[in-house]
Amino acid sequence: MKNRHPLLDRQVELEISGKMTPIRGKLIECGPDILVLHNGVQFLYVPLIHLQQLRLSSQEEGPFETPENPFEPINDPISYRKILMNAKGMFSEIYITGNQSIHGYVTTVMNDFFVFYSPVYHTVVISLHHLKYLIPYNPNSTPYTLTAEQFPLKPSPLTLARTFDQQLRKLIGEFVVLDLGENPNKTGVLKNVDQSMIELANASGNSVYLHFDHVKTVHVP
């Protein structure tokens, strides 16, 4: 029998790494590596790896009905990987880094990364260790009100490896954008992946070295 979290069905606040403001909502479900909130409008799936603090909300919220879970029923316990697998092909919003959310859909889930297709960034490879939260769209809505013809479901054009490290190595020699291009020194030609260090040639042709653990996403524009 699973333990019931003492804050289940209560209004809570989450502080997660990299996000200045707390996330608020009713705590709907807890798994070994993920929490589920509902904020009165949306479900939020929050991997525990970035949770810094969970507490009762300091703001009073009026009662609201929680709609049916947007995913297929999941056998207990829920998990981060099961949620991603259920999210495949479903229009969603994900938050990774900075002030940017990405809108699109999960196409593939590998050992320690997943592939997300966005109308803005196209195919993005995302480390499982860096997703802050996922919000599935209403089934009747799509990003930017695009039609299915304008934004079709389609497989990744990349030849996929099993791990994020191996995937980066497959992109050596390619022009890539790391971490959604939030830093100009994270855009350039991927020159080498040597143990824990990544070498990137920036716009000036100079080599920039990045620690592997701090690379959240990669995409080929």
Side-chain angles (χ1 to χ4, degrees), residues 48-84:
L48 289 178
I49 189 171
H50 294 292
L51 178 66
Q52 296 184 340
Q53 192 175 110
L54 166 65
R55 58 180 180 265
L56 279 174
S57 177
S58 59
Q59 299 184 3
E60 288 293 328
E61 303 282 350
F64 59 82
E65 289 292 322
T66 304
E68 186 176 340
N69 190 307
F71 297 133
E72 293 293 322
I74 300 172
N75 293 329
D76 290 340
I78 66 164
S79 73
Y80 181 13
R81 182 169 290 275
K82 287 177 184 176
I83 291 298
L84 282 177

Side-chain angles (χ1 to χ4, degrees), residues 28 38 41-43 45 65-73 136-137 139:
I28 301 298
H38 193 273
V41 179
Q42 303 162 312
F43 284 94
Y45 294 83
E65 289 292 322
T66 304
E68 186 176 340
N69 190 307
F71 297 133
E72 293 293 322
Y137 278 37

Side-chain angles (χ1 to χ4, degrees), residues 70-143:
F71 297 133
E72 293 293 322
I74 300 172
N75 293 329
D76 290 340
I78 66 164
S79 73
Y80 181 13
R81 182 169 290 275
K82 287 177 184 176
I83 291 298
L84 282 177
M85 294 299 290
N86 272 315
K88 286 172 63 175
M90 178 181 288
F91 293 118
S92 305
E93 173 186 345
I94 60 173
Y95 175 72
I96 307 289
T97 185
N99 296 315
Q100 302 181 76
S101 292
I102 315 179
H103 304 264
Y105 53 85
V106 176
T107 64
T108 314
V109 182
M110 305 301 285
N111 287 6
D112 65 350
F113 72 90
F114 65 98
V115 181
F116 194 82
Y117 188 75
S118 155
V120 178
Y121 299 99
H122 304 295
T123 299
V124 186
V125 175
I126 301 169
S127 166
L128 284 177
H129 303 300
H130 291 291
L131 176 68
K132 304 301 195 305
Y133 59 73
L134 178 146
I135 301 173
Y137 278 37
N138 181 297
N140 298 319
S141 63
T142 58

Side-chain angles (χ1 to χ4, degrees), residues 17-32:
S17 57
K19 191 161 179 63
M20 298 298 292
T21 56
I23 297 173
R24 296 184 175 91
K26 182 191 289 186
L27 184 61
I28 301 298
E29 201 166 354
C30 305

